[in-house]
Amino acid sequence: DGGITQSPKYLFRKEGQNVTLSCEQNLNHDAMYWYRQDPGQGLRLIYYSQIVNDFQKGDIAEGYSVSREKKESFPLTVTSAQKNPTAFYLCASSASNSGGSRDTQYFGPGTRLTVL
Amino acid sequence: QKEVEQNSGPLSVPEGAIASLNCTYSDRGSQSFFWYRQYSGKSPELIMFIYSNGDKEDGRFTAQLNKASQYVSLLIRDSQPSDSATYLCAVNSLSSGSARQLTFGSGTQLTVLP
């Protein structure tokens, strides 16, 4: 089965703790993205990566970090500097990020993070 | 600041009716437009995308794009209770260099009444 997997489905974080959310895709997509969704709101872009070993900040990157060491994997770390991390985190991927139908983004099932 | 605006709803329609969902965007450089459906507690799933002015039909769904008016809509014909969800409009535009970003609206909650 081709698709995007995220783990864990639910995650609980204590104050001052860093946590890492996993995102893996076997679609052979070049571009990957991390979004955050708060209740009743749309998705906001945290980070994106167009190619291995390269990534750019999105609109709300503060308090988050990412890596892209492999094409298939794009983990997101929520650091203790992120003051309000409770949210639904969504990973997405697209074949490319250069225009046309290949820009279509497909989403993983999401990780719901709660700060205790 | 690129903006994508949607009526938050809730929008209620009776089963079998046409549901009309609307979206406006601020960036005239936007080039591609997407509609996603999101059930409560789930991730967004793609319904359809549109790039050219006019209508694009896929089954019960029709997307309409008017770039001059910066307006994109989604029509759902013969609405079913299973269509009850939040519908997200997303607009892809050039951000910087060759990088493109999707900007999402806050979504319209649709309820189809049996």
Side-chain angles (χ1 to χ4, degrees):
Chain A
D1 273 342
I4 305 171
T5 58
Q6 291 185 242
S7 62
K9 186 174 181 179
Y10 298 97
L11 184 58
F12 298 91
R13 193 193 91 167
K14 294 181 180 178
E15 294 283 349
Q17 195 176 41
N18 292 354
V19 292
T20 297
L21 284 59
S22 170
C23 177
E24 304 276 335
Q25 54 96 2
N26 61 5
L27 300 169
N28 199 33
H29 283 174
D30 285 326
M32 297 186 73
Y33 314 82
W34 274 105
Y35 293 92
R36 167 182 173 144
Q37 187 176 36
D38 294 283
Q41 298 190 28
L43 281 64
R44 292 184 290 168
L45 183 65
I46 304 173
Y47 269 98
Y48 65 100
S49 169
Q50 294 179 271
I51 196 169
V52 175
N53 292 322
D54 184 60
F55 48 83
Q56 287 80 40
K57 293 181 179 180
D59 299 321
I60 55 166
E62 185 175 351
Y64 300 97
S65 65
V66 294
S67 62
R68 186 85 187 276
E69 298 176 1
K70 298 187 299 182
K71 186 175 185 179
E72 302 80 18
S73 179
F74 191 41
L76 173 74
T77 296
V78 184
T79 75
S80 57
Q82 171 50 238
K83 297 307 178 187
N84 186 21
T86 295
F88 189 37
Y89 290 86
L90 290 156
C91 178
S93 70
S94 64
S96 75
N97 190 13
S98 56
S101 62
R102 289 168 55 82
D103 280 6
T104 302
Q105 293 186 22
Y106 298 93
F107 287 85
T111 292
R112 198 166 297 277
L113 173 63
T114 302
V115 173
L116 300 174
Chain B
Q1 180 79 12
K2 301 178 179 65
E3 293 182 351
V4 177
E5 300 286 342
Q6 295 182 254
N7 289 331
S8 61
L11 172 66
S12 295
V13 300
E15 184 174 356
I18 296 175
S20 177
L21 306 165
N22 304 316
C23 174
T24 59
Y25 58 95
S26 63
D27 184 5
R28 285 196 169 274
S30 300
Q31 299 182 335
S32 50
F33 307 84
F34 302 82
W35 282 100
Y36 288 86
R37 176 175 63 197
Q38 186 175 25
Y39 292 112
S40 181
K42 303 296 185 183
S43 63
E45 54 183 333
L46 180 73
I47 299 174
M48 58 194 307
F49 54 83
I50 185 167
Y51 303 109
S52 303
N53 276 329
D55 294 359
K56 179 181 178 182
E57 187 174 319
D58 184 0
R60 296 187 296 113
F61 299 96
T62 299
Q64 299 175 318
L65 175 61
N66 183 327
K67 290 185 178 180
S69 299
Q70 296 177 240
Y71 175 94
V72 58
S73 65
L74 180 71
L75 300 178
I76 307 174
R77 290 183 300 281
D78 188 23
S79 296
Q80 302 297 310
S82 58
D83 294 326
S84 298
T86 297
Y87 289 80
L88 300 171
C89 171
V91 176
N92 200 353
S93 55
L94 200 62
S95 175
S96 61
S98 63
R100 297 173 185 275
Q101 290 189 19
L102 268 188
T103 300
F104 284 82
S106 58
T108 297
Q109 185 180 342
L110 172 67
T111 300
V112 180
L113 303 170

